[in-house]
Amino acid sequence: MSWWVVSTMAAGQLGSGIYSADAARKAGIAQSDEYSRVAEETMITEAFNRRERNKEARHDDMRTLEQGARALNEVATQGQKERASMMAEGGGSGAIVNSGSTLDVMMTEAVNNTVKQLSVVDATKSAIESNQRNLKNINESNYRNAKLGQSQLNRKSDMTKKASQDAFNAGIFSAIVKSGSTLASGYSPTSKTPKKGTGRYGPANRFEP
């Protein structure tokens, strides 16, 4: 086999090997970059979701405050009606409102109504505090999960990039070895040395005396 043919075959093997190794390396790098992109978007998405949760929680707190205010107003209004009713009954019966049992009853009703109002305030405060605790727990849990997912994706990105580079180096080495093997087999001594007794003019001893 001629030098040109063997060299061409060896060069083709080397070029093909390098091309394949580089293509695999680029594919690995692309996959690594995709892992990095998803890792970054994981935290961006969590930040967006966190803002939305906080916004919704503020709306919930406002609704709870509004409900508490309405309940407080209803309790206060009911107490005023009951006191007005007692005063009207006491005046109609000729009792003196500023003394005796009528005043005691009105004082007791006023105290009871105040207790009811304080209960509404405490319930409203407790509901808001509970909402805020739940929000804090959800935000912390989701942040930890997002951070864990980001770390795992970043590790996969690093491992994929390293593996692609190692595979590229191995592919180049393999291409060089195969190309060298082709050259060695094409130019072995047995393949390029003419057999004894042969040549352009027939037997080697044709012109010998």
Side-chain angles (χ1 to χ4, degrees):
M1 188 179 295
S2 69
W3 169 265
W4 184 87
V5 173
V6 174
S7 298
T8 301
M9 291 177 59
Q13 282 184 323
L14 180 61
S16 176
I18 293 175
Y19 177 82
S20 298
D22 187 58
R25 181 180 66 88
K26 289 179 179 179
I29 291 175
Q31 182 63 63
S32 173
D33 291 342
E34 178 65 13
Y35 286 139
S36 297
R37 183 189 65 79
V38 175
E40 183 179 359
E41 289 185 353
T42 296
M43 297 309 298
I44 294 175
T45 301
E46 167 53 23
F48 172 80
N49 291 339
R50 187 187 188 95
R51 289 193 298 270
E52 292 299 309
R53 287 193 299 269
N54 291 342
K55 185 188 301 182
E56 184 61 30
R58 286 193 295 270
H59 292 164
D60 290 342
D61 289 344
M62 291 300 299
R63 285 191 290 268
T64 301
L65 283 172
E66 291 173 356
Q67 293 172 359
R70 286 195 297 270
L72 185 62
N73 182 64
E74 291 174 359
V75 170
T77 300
Q78 183 64 31
Q80 292 173 357
K81 289 180 179 180
E82 291 178 356
R83 286 192 296 273
S85 176
M86 290 178 184
M87 291 179 67
E89 290 178 359
S93 64
I96 300 174
V97 176
N98 293 332
S99 63
S101 60
T102 301
L103 181 60
D104 291 341
V105 171
M106 292 181 64
M107 290 292 294
T108 300
E109 173 58 29
V111 171
N112 290 338
N113 188 263
T114 301
V115 171
K116 291 179 181 178
Q117 292 183 46
L118 291 175
S119 297
V120 171
V121 172
D122 289 340
T124 302
K125 182 180 178 182
S126 296
I128 292 176
E129 290 176 348
S130 177
N131 290 340
Q132 292 177 347
R133 282 195 301 271
N134 290 337
L135 174 65
K136 180 181 178 182
N137 292 337
I138 291 173
N139 282 341
E140 290 179 351
S141 176
N142 287 358
Y143 179 81
R144 284 195 301 270
N145 291 337
K147 200 67 178 176
L148 176 62
Q150 183 191 41
S151 298
Q152 291 174 340
L153 287 168
N154 283 333
R155 283 197 298 271
K156 289 180 70 174
S157 175
D158 294 340
M159 292 172 62
T160 302
K161 184 174 292 185
K162 183 179 184 303
S164 65
Q165 185 60 48
D166 291 343
F168 173 76
N169 295 337
I172 294 297
F173 179 77
S174 176
I176 293 173
V177 170
K178 289 180 180 179
S179 177
S181 177
T182 299
L183 286 173
S185 63
Y187 291 101
S188 62
T190 57
S191 65
K192 66 179 181 178
T193 304
K195 293 182 179 179
K196 185 176 181 181
T198 64
R200 183 176 180 182
Y201 300 104
N205 60 353
R206 179 175 178 180
F207 298 103
E208 294 180 1

